[in-house]
């Protein structure tokens, strides 16, 4: 990506970014912290150059290999839900994709481990996160349905692809009092769920209907 590209976008982006933040507020996002981090994070570096002019629209966009960068509203909502009960130190994200949600989380929590099953997407995300100078992120090529046991327990887990049901391996890797935000369900019939780990199991809150790509098994090189 050349610097002219950066500069060209930079000149118009503050106004379009502010407009996006206003829209997120209108849609019900209340966390000032989330809104400020999203205002200051360059979403255009997480999409292909041809789509950069649409990066501050409140819409999901294709990132190649059949995957999408999540809609800003859903990134804001899931981040707000994950953080609403207090600060987090050790967070796992499943489904790195473009790396945009990872970048938002990294600015708001202690450390982020993020796993992705498609290698070219992971490597692209790695470059972008490095470009942003984020140092508290570790990325790994792996099937996140199994979680990432080597750095568990986590006080927060965010899943950005939809499993058919709540993956118990992920619940196991939450510490007591930890929470997980994830879409659950089949294609076109998914609901956002917040899970809180308790002493003897977990509680779940069903929140709103969402649309995500499915959580798939195995890795793809
Ligand atoms: N947070 C991302 C969302 C990308 S879409 C963003 O805003 O860009 C969801 C991603 O989850 C896709 O990149 C997909 O490849 C990945 N994914 C699906 N199943 C997975 C699994 N089992 N383990 C890890 N990543 C998975």
């Amino acid at each position: 990506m050349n610097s002219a590209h950066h500069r060209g976008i930079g000149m118009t982006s503050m106004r379009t970014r502010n407009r996006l933040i206003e829209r997120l507020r209108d849609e019900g996002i209340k966390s000032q912290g989330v809104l400020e981090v999203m205002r200051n994070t360059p979403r255009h570096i997480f999409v292909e150059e041809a789509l950069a002019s649409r990066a501050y629209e409140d819409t999901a966009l294709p990132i190649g290999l059949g995957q999408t960068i999540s809609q800003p509203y859903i990134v804001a909502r899931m981040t707000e839900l994950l953080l609403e009960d207090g600060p987090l130190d050790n967070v796992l994200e499943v489904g790195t994709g473009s790396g945009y949600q990872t970048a938002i989380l990294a600015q708001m929590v202690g450390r982020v481990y993020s796993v992705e099953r498609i290698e070219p997407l992971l490597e692209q995300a790695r470059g972008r996160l490095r470009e942003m100078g984020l140092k508290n992120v570790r990325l790994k090529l792996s099937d996140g349905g199994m979680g990432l046991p080597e750095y568990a327990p986590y006080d927060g887990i965010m899943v950005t692809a939809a499993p058919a049901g709540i993956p118990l391996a992920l619940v196991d890797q939450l510490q007591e009092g930890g929470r997980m935000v994830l879409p659950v369900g089949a294609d076109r019939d998914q609901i956002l769920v917040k899970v809180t780990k308790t002493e003897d199991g977990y509680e779940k809150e069903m929140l709103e209907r969402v649309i995500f790509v499915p959580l798939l098994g195995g890795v793809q090189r």
Side-chain angles (χ1 to χ4, degrees), residues 43 46 61 63-71 74-75 93-102 114-119 121-122 128 140-147 158-162 212-220:
R43 189 167 183 258
F46 293 89
L61 293 168
I63 55 172
L65 299 159
Q67 307 304 318
T68 53
I69 179 172
S70 303
Q71 180 191 358
I74 201 71
V75 171
E93 179 191 29
V94 175
T96 316
S98 67
Y100 177 70
Q101 172 77 74
T102 322
S114 184
V115 296
E116 168 59 54
R117 63 178 288 280
I118 302 180
E119 189 167 38
L121 290 180
L122 186 76
R128 290 161 172 159
K140 192 173 173 191
L141 182 71
S142 160
D143 176 354
M146 315 289 158
M158 185 183 289
V159 185
T160 67
F212 277 84
V213 297
L215 188 82
L216 301 174
V219 300
Q220 183 180 318

Side-chain angles (χ1 to χ4, degrees), residues 47-105:
V47 300
E48 288 164 35
E49 224 169 307
L51 291 172
S53 66
R54 301 189 55 198
Y56 300 98
E57 292 176 18
D58 188 22
T59 177
L61 293 168
I63 55 172
L65 299 159
Q67 307 304 318
T68 53
I69 179 172
S70 303
Q71 180 191 358
Y73 166 75
I74 201 71
V75 171
R77 185 75 183 116
M78 289 176 82
T79 308
E80 173 175 86
L81 284 166
L82 196 69
L83 283 161
E84 71 185 348
D85 310 307
L88 299 174
D89 183 46
N90 195 46
V91 171
L92 172 66
E93 179 191 29
V94 175
T96 316
S98 67
Y100 177 70
Q101 172 77 74
T102 322
I104 301 297
L105 282 172

